[in-house]
């Protein structure tokens, strides 16, 4: 079955800097790659997603890139703000339910 | 449009007891998936129901079970509770199924087993 590895597990950045979180997956049949943000005590919320027919997608300060050949995808957050502090989860799926990475705790230091 | 609703939000149970958690999906969504979230293991898939049928099942023991009703509401049950079952149980709904589609999470049910 699918296996998703996510790195780093924790990440601290200065406000205004960029943050990058990377994930690798194992199942070449996976074709859907969402990212979720979970603030403390709240539900995971979808922030951006990408499908395998697209290499990059951007939404304001957030972007996701996908390399299907290497089976990895990344989340890029530019101009980080304190409200970006949260746990971020990547996931991969296609013919099977989403499999999630173990999460990255991002801390943005003002 | 109302989001995914889970009840109860918090509960404490004793080892050996059983627990039932409830989930109401977003209106019009026919698929409900359940995930267990723990600090060490992240989000782990339990099972998915679509139109009252279990479509997929994760790698959890038979003590974990679920069902879905004709109105798409779902329940999950854990019998013979163990300390290790303490976790946040998240329900997620989607229109046509979680495979390759966006899922929307509820706030979760925090279960503590003592």
């Amino acid at each position: 079955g699918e296996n998703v590895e996510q790195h780093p597990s924790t990440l601290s950045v200065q406000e205004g800097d960029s943050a990058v979180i990377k994930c690798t997956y194992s199942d070449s049949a996976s074709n859907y790659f969402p990212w979720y943000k979970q603030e403390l005590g709240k539900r995971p919320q979808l922030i951006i997603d990408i499908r395998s027919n697209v290499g990059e997608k951007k939404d304001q300060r957030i972007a996701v890139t996908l390399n299907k050949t290497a089976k990895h995808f990344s989340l890029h957050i530019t101009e980080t703000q304190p409200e970006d502090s949260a746990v971020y989860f990547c996931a991969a799926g296609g013919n099977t339910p989403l499999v999630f990475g173990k999460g990255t705790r991002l801390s943005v230091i003002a | 449009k109302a989001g995914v609703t889970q009840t109860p939000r918090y509960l404490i149970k004793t080892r050996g007891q059983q627990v039932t958690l409830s989930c109401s999906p977003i209106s019009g969504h026919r698929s409900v998936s359940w995930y267990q979230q723990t600090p060490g293991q992240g989000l782990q898939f339990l099972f998915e129901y679509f139109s009252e049928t279990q479509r997929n099942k994760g790698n959890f023991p038979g003590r974990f079970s679920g069902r879905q009703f004709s109105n798409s509401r779902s329940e999950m049950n854990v019998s013979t509770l163990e300390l290790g079952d303490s976790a946040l149980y998240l329900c997620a709904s989607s229109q046509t199924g979680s495979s390759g589609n966006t899922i929307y999470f509820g706030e979760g049910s925090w279960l503590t087993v003592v």
Side-chain angles (χ1 to χ4, degrees), chain A residues 31-32 36 38 41-46 49 51 87 89 93-103, chain B residues 3-4 9 35 37 40-43 45 48 56 88 90 98-107 110:
Chain A
N31 58 14
Y32 177 59
Y36 286 81
Q38 187 176 31
K42 297 193 175 181
R43 73 183 77 192
Q45 290 196 297
L46 179 73
D49 57 10
R51 296 192 181 272
V87 178
F89 292 94
N95 297 327
T96 56
L98 289 174
V99 174
F100 286 79
K102 287 189 168 32
Chain B
V4 179
R9 290 294 320 281
Y35 285 83
Q37 185 175 20
Q41 297 299 319
L43 287 152
F45 173 75
E48 178 192 6
N56 291 289
L88 175 64
L90 290 162
S98 65
S99 298
N101 295 307
T102 302
I103 62 175
Y104 300 90
F105 286 97
E107 295 285 0
W110 286 94

Side-chain angles (χ1 to χ4, degrees), chain B residues 12-111:
Chain B
I12 300 173
K13 290 286 187 178
T14 304
R15 271 184 302 174
Q17 288 187 315
Q18 67 92 27
V19 66
T20 299
L21 309 177
S22 180
C23 172
S24 293
I26 293 170
S27 178
H29 286 195
R30 296 167 61 189
S31 165
V32 173
S33 302
W34 288 89
Y35 285 83
Q36 182 193 65
Q37 185 175 20
T38 57
Q41 297 299 319
L43 287 152
Q44 291 190 291
F45 173 75
L46 282 156
F47 30 65
E48 178 192 6
Y49 287 86
F50 182 85
S51 293
E52 302 179 67
T53 302
Q54 187 179 84
R55 178 181 275 185
N56 291 289
K57 189 176 190 307
N59 190 25
F60 278 81
R63 300 186 296 107
F64 292 81
S65 63
R67 59 178 176 169
Q68 186 179 34
F69 303 96
S70 58
N71 62 357
S72 294
R73 189 178 69 85
S74 177
E75 289 182 346
M76 69 162 282
N77 182 277
V78 188
S79 62
T80 320
L81 284 165
E82 300 176 359
L83 295 178
D85 296 333
S86 295
L88 175 64
Y89 290 88
L90 290 162
C91 165
S93 77
S94 65
Q95 285 186 310
T96 56
S98 65
S99 298
N101 295 307
T102 302
I103 62 175
Y104 300 90
F105 286 97
E107 295 285 0
S109 292
W110 286 94
L111 171 64

Side-chain angles (χ1 to χ4, degrees), chain A residues 41-78:
Chain A
K42 297 193 175 181
R43 73 183 77 192
Q45 290 196 297
L46 179 73
I47 55 172
I48 195 167
D49 57 10
I50 192 168
R51 296 192 181 272
S52 58
N53 58 344
V54 175
E56 183 175 358
K57 185 176 178 181
K58 190 173 181 181
D59 182 4
Q60 299 183 346
R61 298 186 295 108
I62 294 173
V64 58
T65 59
L66 171 65
N67 183 328
K68 282 224 75 175
T69 303
K71 296 199 190 77
H72 67 71
F73 55 114
S74 301
L75 177 71
H76 304 254
I77 306 174
T78 59

